[in-house]
């Protein structure tokens, strides 16, 4: 079916509706978190980081959102910002193994090796030494040896 199959009025209505969708405010297009996740999944980490800032303002106590914001900043090598997001997530859930691992890697990237080893060991205690936590501790120790 082509556009010619529709009446002139229907075509104008479709154009107006499409134009309205294109100019719709961002809030009406989905939450900042949804848009941040979409941008990150598409590899647009710079835009995702900006959108995660908005998402964190909308949900400042949501540790998952904080950790995701940290992840995007790690991708952008904004290690200090990532560390802060992970720290805020840990403030909400201090025994979370994943948050501790990510925090350890951010600390390690910043050269804070003693703190990084401590965080990696805390991750290992949180999950009884999973492979991921063991690998994180190993990476942190390797990084410490490079400096």
């Amino acid at each position: 079916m082509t556009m010619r199959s529709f009446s002139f009025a229907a075509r104008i209505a479709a154009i107006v509706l499409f134009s309205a969708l294109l100019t719709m405010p961002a809030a009406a297009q989905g939450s900042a978190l949804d848009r941040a996740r979409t941008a990150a999944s598409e590899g647009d980490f710079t835009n995702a980081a900006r959108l995660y800032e908005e998402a964190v303002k909308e949900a400042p106590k949501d540790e998952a959102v904080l950790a995701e914001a940290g992840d995007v900043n790690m991708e952008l090598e904004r290690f200090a910002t990532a560390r802060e997001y992970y720290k805020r997530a840990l403030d909400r859930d201090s025994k979370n193994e994943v948050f501790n691992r990510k925090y350890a890697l951010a600390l390690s990237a910043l050269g804070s090796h003693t703190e990084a080893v401590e965080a990696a060991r805390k991750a290992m205690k949180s999950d009884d030494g999973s492979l991921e936590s063991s690998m994180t501790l190993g990476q942190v120790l390797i990084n410490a040896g490079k400096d």
Side-chain angles (χ1 to χ4, degrees), residues 65-78:
V65 173
L66 292 164
E68 288 175 35
D71 295 344
V72 167
N73 281 282
M74 286 293 283
E75 285 291 331
L76 293 169
E77 298 184 4
R78 297 177 183 166

Side-chain angles (χ1 to χ4, degrees), residues 8-74:
F8 179 74
R11 284 184 275 167
I12 294 298
I15 291 168
V16 169
L17 179 59
F18 184 69
S19 296
L21 287 172
L22 289 177
T23 59
M24 186 180 297
Q29 296 175 10
S31 70
L33 180 58
D34 291 338
R35 290 180 287 128
R37 287 176 173 159
T38 299
S41 71
E42 294 172 351
D44 185 1
F45 297 113
T46 302
N47 189 38
R50 182 185 58 77
L51 290 165
Y52 270 111
E53 286 179 25
E54 290 179 37
V56 167
K57 288 177 186 171
E58 292 172 5
K61 295 181 180 182
D62 186 325
E63 62 268 10
V65 173
L66 292 164
E68 288 175 35
D71 295 344
V72 167
N73 281 282
M74 286 293 283

Side-chain angles (χ1 to χ4, degrees), residues 63 89-90 93-101 122-123 126:
E63 62 268 10
L90 283 166
D93 184 1
S94 65
K95 294 185 181 194
N96 186 299
E97 175 258 337
V98 174
F99 299 163
N100 275 295
R101 280 193 292 114
K122 188 171 183 181
S126 297

